[in-house]
Amino acid sequence: MDSSVRVRFAPSPTGPLHIGGARSALFNWLLARNYGGQMIVRIEDTDLERSSLESEENILDSLIWLGLDWDEGIKKGGENGPYRQTERLNTYTDAAQKLLAAGQAYYCYCTEEELEAERQVCSAKGELPRYLGRCRSLTDEDRSRLEAEGRKKVIRFRVPDNEDIVVKDLVRGDVVFESNGIGDYVIVKSDGIPTYNFAVVLDDALMDITHVVRGEEHLSNTPRQLMLYEALRITPPSFAHVSLILGRDRTKMSKRHGATSIEAYKSQGYLPEALINFLVLLGWSPVGEEEIFTLEELVEQFSLDRVAKNPAVFDSDKLNWINGQYIRKSPVERITDLAIPFLREAGYIKGEVTPDKYEWLKMVVASVQEHLAFVAQITDHVGIYFDDCIQMESEEASAALKDDDVPQVMAAFRQKIVETEEITSENTKAMLKALTKELKLGGKKVYMPIRVALTGKTHGAELYDIIPILGREMILARLAQTVGI
Ligand code: GLU
């Protein structure tokens, strides 16, 4: 156990927490918990235009809902705060001044038009657009003249020539980048705000981060960050870049593939443990065949060496399967509590849920719990318990009430219902059996018309589950409506 492990989740608050971000947070969290180390949450809000407190709240709420807590950071405090980058600007300014003084960074006065012209030059040569160094060797006079023109200035890092920058990635092995392919990049923008690549290095260093686990989309930033570590003479942390998450059509996961924010899954009645279980399998593979894990089991089993290099595919059927497993295992009260808002929204529940009503709702939920992939689906299954007016779902259903035996079956069934003091699953089973015997009819001839008369459907949950949930009053009302007795 290496309890000195310090990892971080460093979201940019430019939108809600998405599947990819949640997976990064989870992998970091598991690593910290697995090693008995520390998890830090830091807010990277240097994109002033796109960052918002609302997104920050959403991200933090989603982390908490998922059960991913942190030891240090935003809202929690700690020795290395503040934990929002816009509150740490002095740190970056000081470091930038040091790099300027050492000649490792310089002021650049290029205008947007000049930069665009450079990009054109690169494209014309078939090269990747990069800064070609117009301001690399300005004299004091040049600078005074440009300042006098009132030009805005940024600070650029002076990228060393002809170097191979090797990212020793814990998932991907050594990934080599040529410094010549990387133009001098901006570390402080003209408004004095640092860029991501600069702020992230200083913060990871000052917060003593030992492992940076993040999405593959950041791999190309890592050589830029490594150059800064070198220039600042700081030992870099270890890096692990986790592969992209693709949709089933193998393109990068996006809204087109369905919901991507954690909040959207929460609001459809997915369970946090199920999402965690699903997320961990997006890139990590367990040793055995088992795919359902508690958080404790994951903490014990997780390791970076079982994180795959190839992309993970987001399969919503698998998520539904996993979530269904967790719903089935949950106490009925939990699913009932989650179901109530959906039932309300569907107009099935009006007014207060009294204790009696709650007990009844639990029976309703229990009857469909094993069929739910996510709780919002409940409204598709429980109409039969709430609808005031029963509609025949098909020709087949209507036909089932037209047999010659039907009046006799219905009358006998009604009589039993009137006579039974307390209608339970147990005595309903016995009652239905007795009915077939007394009427001397095959099971189907008895069960089908009863089912159709009570629900309007030819298929569904077991009759002995449906009947006690409907209860005497509702059964008599339905018989009156559907078969006129
Ligand atoms: N703020 C970055 C993001 O949200 C974090 C990248 C990193 O983990 O270094 O993508």
Side-chain angles (χ1 to χ4, degrees):
M1 281 283 176
D2 183 357
S3 59
S4 62
V5 162
R6 285 173 62 85
V7 294
R8 79 329 185 250
F9 178 55
S12 301
T14 54
L17 182 65
H18 287 286
I19 292 288
R23 189 212 29 193
S24 294
L26 172 62
F27 283 16
N28 279 291
W29 186 90
L30 287 171
L31 208 59
R33 296 295 171 256
N34 179 281
Y35 281 101
Q38 304 277 303
M39 167 86 170
I40 290 108
V41 173
R42 174 177 78 225
I43 300 294
E44 302 205 324
D45 58 348
T46 54
D47 184 340
L48 304 183
E49 258 164 45
R50 293 174 59 229
S51 296
S52 73
L53 273 179
E54 191 194 341
S55 297
E56 182 183 309
E57 289 296 329
N58 175 292
I59 292 168
L60 300 179
D61 287 349
S62 293
L63 288 177
I64 292 166
W65 179 73
L66 287 169
L68 304 178
D69 57 348
W70 54 101
D71 308 295
E72 187 184 315
I74 192 82
K75 300 242 157 131
K76 183 100 189 179
E79 285 173 14
N80 306 291
Y83 293 93
R84 217 182 256 119
Q85 288 185 325
T86 50
E87 293 167 18
R88 303 170 59 78
L89 295 180
N90 285 343
T91 308
Y92 317 122
T93 314
D94 291 352
Q97 288 306 324
K98 278 190 197 132
L99 290 176
L100 282 170
Q104 287 166 302
Y106 59 88
Y107 283 115
C108 162
Y109 298 85
C110 290
T111 61
E112 197 36 57
E113 294 72 38
E114 286 163 344
L115 294 174
E116 180 52 35
E118 286 211 339
R119 282 193 281 267
Q120 304 279 349
V121 171
C122 293
S123 312
K125 284 201 239 159
E127 293 171 6
L128 276 181
R130 61 183 197 283
Y131 185 64
L132 297 175
R134 277 172 69 96
C135 296
R136 224 177 193 219
S137 329
L138 295 180
T139 61
D140 287 348
E141 275 146 40
D142 293 333
R143 255 191 301 274
S144 311
R145 176 176 47 81
L146 293 163
E147 298 261 351
E149 282 177 23
R151 289 196 183 213
K152 287 192 181 150
K153 60 179 186 238
V154 299
I155 303 177
R156 285 186 190 271
F157 179 68
R158 194 185 294 278
V159 171
D161 294 328
N162 308 319
E163 271 187 24
D164 280 346
I165 318 288
V166 185
V167 178
K168 295 184 180 309
D169 193 275
L170 295 175
V171 172
R172 276 148 225 285
D174 286 0
V175 187
V176 184
F177 294 85
E178 287 175 15
S179 70
N180 289 354
I182 301 175
D184 296 346
Y185 49 92
V186 178
I187 55 173
V188 180
K189 294 177 266 186
S190 60
D191 56 3
I193 306 289
T195 56
Y196 156 69
N197 274 323
F198 189 43
V200 76
V201 165
L202 291 161
D203 287 350
D204 284 342
L206 290 167
M207 295 179 189
D208 289 327
I209 300 302
T210 58
H211 295 74
V212 167
V213 181
R214 61 186 171 200
E216 188 185 346
E217 65 274 20
H218 285 294
L219 183 60
S220 62
N221 285 320
T222 309
R224 291 169 172 79
Q225 295 170 19
L226 284 172
M227 290 184 231
L228 282 162
Y229 280 105
E230 170 99 30
L232 294 162
R233 295 190 168 55
I234 306 169
T235 310
S238 301
F239 290 96
H241 290 91
V242 185
S243 57
L244 295 179
I245 301 176
L246 305 181
R248 260 193 288 202
D249 58 0
R250 302 225 140 225
T251 62
K252 193 168 188 272
M253 180 79 182
S254 74
K255 287 229 171 76
R256 278 181 305 116
H257 299 99
T260 56
S261 72
I262 296 300
E263 144 191 82
Y265 286 98
K266 179 183 176 200
S267 70
Q268 287 296 298
Y270 285 83
L271 304 182
E273 322 86 279
L275 264 174
I276 290 278
N277 197 145
F278 173 72
L279 287 171
V280 81
L281 298 173
L282 289 176
W284 175 77
S285 49
V287 176
E289 296 284 296
E290 183 57 46
E291 291 200 294
I292 300 289
F293 302 96
T294 63
L295 211 46
E296 292 74 40
E297 286 165 343
L298 288 178
V299 165
E300 201 176 296
Q301 295 184 26
F302 184 81
S303 70
L304 283 177
D305 53 20
R306 298 195 65 84
V307 171
K309 265 192 255 186
N310 48 328
V313 175
F314 184 97
D315 178 352
S316 51
D317 289 343
K318 179 144 187 188
L319 170 59
N320 284 349
W321 177 78
I322 293 178
N323 202 55
Q325 304 273 321
Y326 280 87
I327 287 183
R328 240 165 280 176
K329 278 197 260 176
S330 296
V332 65
E333 288 79 7
R334 180 184 189 197
I335 306 304
T336 305
D337 293 344
L338 290 171
I340 287 173
F342 296 110
L343 296 174
R344 238 183 234 296
E345 201 181 311
Y348 290 147
I349 303 182
K350 298 183 186 82
E352 191 199 344
V353 176
T354 58
D356 279 355
K357 178 98 189 205
Y358 186 75
E359 286 307 308
W360 180 77
L361 284 172
K362 268 168 47 181
M363 288 166 66
V364 169
V365 170
S367 75
V368 297
Q369 191 165 346
E370 65 179 278
H371 301 294
L372 300 177
F374 51 94
V375 183
Q377 284 181 333
I378 192 155
T379 55
D380 300 339
H381 294 271
V382 298
I384 57 161
Y385 302 120
F386 296 93
D387 290 334
D388 289 333
C389 180
I390 294 298
Q391 309 282 354
M392 292 301 129
E393 94 181 332
S394 61
E395 291 280 308
E396 193 193 351
S398 308
L401 292 182
K402 294 199 178 112
D403 266 6
D404 293 346
D405 312 314
V406 170
Q408 190 199 355
V409 172
M410 289 304 158
F413 173 65
R414 186 176 192 285
Q415 186 58 27
K416 295 267 187 214
I417 290 295
V418 173
E419 280 166 10
T420 313
E421 215 159 286
E422 199 195 343
I423 304 174
T424 63
S425 233
E426 278 309 299
N427 65 20
T428 302
K429 244 187 233 176
M431 180 265 273
L432 291 170
K433 235 188 188 155
L435 207 57
T436 42
K437 221 170 176 183
E438 286 163 27
L439 293 166
K440 298 198 177 56
L441 289 171
K444 193 162 183 229
K445 288 249 177 210
V446 175
Y447 299 157
M448 187 54 92
I450 294 177
R451 175 184 293 285
V452 173
L454 295 181
T455 67
K457 300 181 197 304
T458 51
H459 297 282
E462 298 290 354
L463 258 190
Y464 53 76
D465 280 333
I466 298 175
I467 288 172
I469 297 175
L470 288 175
R472 192 178 351 261
E473 212 178 302
M474 225 190 271
I475 292 176
L476 296 181
R478 292 200 178 173
L479 293 180
Q481 190 218 319
T482 54
V483 288
I485 57 170

